[in-house]
Amino acid sequence: KDLDLMSRIASFVDKFGGAGGKVGGVDQSWTDIIENAETILYREINYQDEAENAIRFAKDFGLGLGGTSVRSTAKSVNGEKLESASEWLRVPFTYGDLSSEKFLVMEFVPSIKVSNDAKLDSAGITQEDREYLAEALARSYLRQFVTNRFFSTDPHPGNLGVEVFNDEDRPPRLVFYDFGQACTLSKDQSLGILEVIESIIDLDAKKSVSAFNRMGVLKDNADLDKVLAKVQSNY
């Protein structure tokens, strides 16, 4: 009922909103947004989908039970085999044969919430460790976007933890949880994201818009001058 009501409201706003249906020169549809949200919501509560996402994520990074290193299924942009990320990344092992649409069976992996500064301080996590973890997070997403072409779309602090090794002389390890939301990318989307990152580093607004086109995120009738101006204003 809630989704039906939201769909009706969205339809009304699209029809009588009075804003021309454009944001930054790009057409938008609140009806499409609600329909996408409905699809995502039902996907989120299907634990079989989450199990498959978690298993694929672990295989892409070469992560096994207990945080061990296994062979990665991902390849670099140049087609070379990628090493396991087990030194700096971990996910709970998922028991696919025991999971179903209503049950998700995973390995228990304790950690400290990535935003809990007090506990991180108590665990002896230094500023250098935090920089290492931030680099691990950035590295993981670059690999997800560009080589794996499959990424977790919900990386809020509740889904990220820090595994601390008190009895071992090794840096902390980043832990990813919750794979209810994940997305697959096409080759053009993947390379487009890489071009966006490069354009941000170079402060090149035109290259950003070109990358958006490659990714297919702009409508055919988008006002590119307005999109360019909007991007430039953020640089």
Side-chain angles (χ1 to χ4, degrees):
K1 291 183 179 180
D2 291 337
L3 289 170
D4 180 60
L5 178 60
M6 292 174 67
S7 294
R8 293 185 183 187
I9 294 173
S11 179
F12 177 84
V13 173
D14 282 340
K15 189 174 182 179
F16 302 106
K22 289 181 178 291
V23 174
V26 181
D27 286 342
Q28 70 166 6
S29 168
W30 289 104
T31 300
D32 289 346
I33 292 172
I34 296 300
E35 288 178 353
N36 288 338
E38 182 176 2
T39 299
I40 291 170
L41 175 62
Y42 282 110
R43 188 187 305 153
E44 178 87 32
I45 60 177
N46 185 333
Y47 289 130
Q48 187 62 55
D49 283 349
E50 181 167 355
E52 292 173 0
N53 290 340
I55 291 170
R56 176 174 176 179
F57 189 96
K59 286 182 177 180
D60 282 344
F61 281 99
L63 308 175
L65 178 63
T68 56
S69 171
V70 298
R71 186 175 181 178
S72 168
T73 57
K75 294 182 179 181
S76 70
V77 175
N78 297 326
E80 300 175 356
K81 289 282 187 179
L82 291 174
E83 295 182 357
S84 167
S86 62
E87 282 297 313
W88 48 275
L89 186 66
R90 184 174 183 181
V91 299
F93 182 82
T94 300
Y95 295 87
D97 56 335
L98 299 178
S99 300
S100 68
E101 184 177 338
K102 296 184 178 181
F103 294 97
L104 180 63
V105 183
M106 306 179 80
E107 172 189 18
F108 175 64
V109 180
S111 67
I112 300 172
K113 188 176 180 180
V114 74
S115 59
N116 192 329
D117 288 332
K119 285 191 175 182
L120 291 173
D121 289 339
S122 297
I125 301 300
T126 65
Q127 180 61 34
E128 183 179 357
D129 289 331
R130 286 169 164 83
E131 292 174 1
Y132 173 82
L133 291 164
E135 181 179 329
L137 180 61
R139 184 180 179 185
S140 74
Y141 265 95
L142 186 62
R143 183 160 163 175
Q144 289 175 66
F145 289 149
V146 180
T147 60
N148 302 354
R149 297 182 194 165
F150 178 78
F151 67 100
S152 168
T153 63
D154 199 19
H156 60 77
N159 288 343
L160 295 171
V162 177
E163 185 179 18
V164 181
F165 303 94
N166 295 318
D167 301 325
E168 302 178 42
D169 185 21
R170 61 177 294 183
R173 182 161 55 177
L174 185 67
V175 184
F176 268 76
Y177 299 99
D178 191 349
F179 297 92
Q181 291 301 318
C183 184
T184 301
L185 298 170
S186 68
K187 184 176 181 179
D188 277 336
Q189 289 172 325
S190 173
L191 294 178
I193 290 173
L194 182 59
E195 290 175 2
V196 168
I197 295 172
E198 293 173 344
S199 69
I200 292 173
I201 294 173
D202 296 335
L203 299 179
D204 189 337
K206 289 185 178 179
K207 187 174 181 180
S208 288
V209 176
S210 175
F212 294 159
N213 267 324
R214 180 170 192 172
M215 293 164 62
V217 299
L218 298 178
K219 293 285 186 74
D220 291 338
N221 59 345
D223 187 331
L224 296 184
D225 289 336
K226 287 186 178 181
V227 175
L228 177 61
K230 188 69 173 180
V231 173
Q232 188 65 60
S233 69
N234 283 283
Y235 288 163

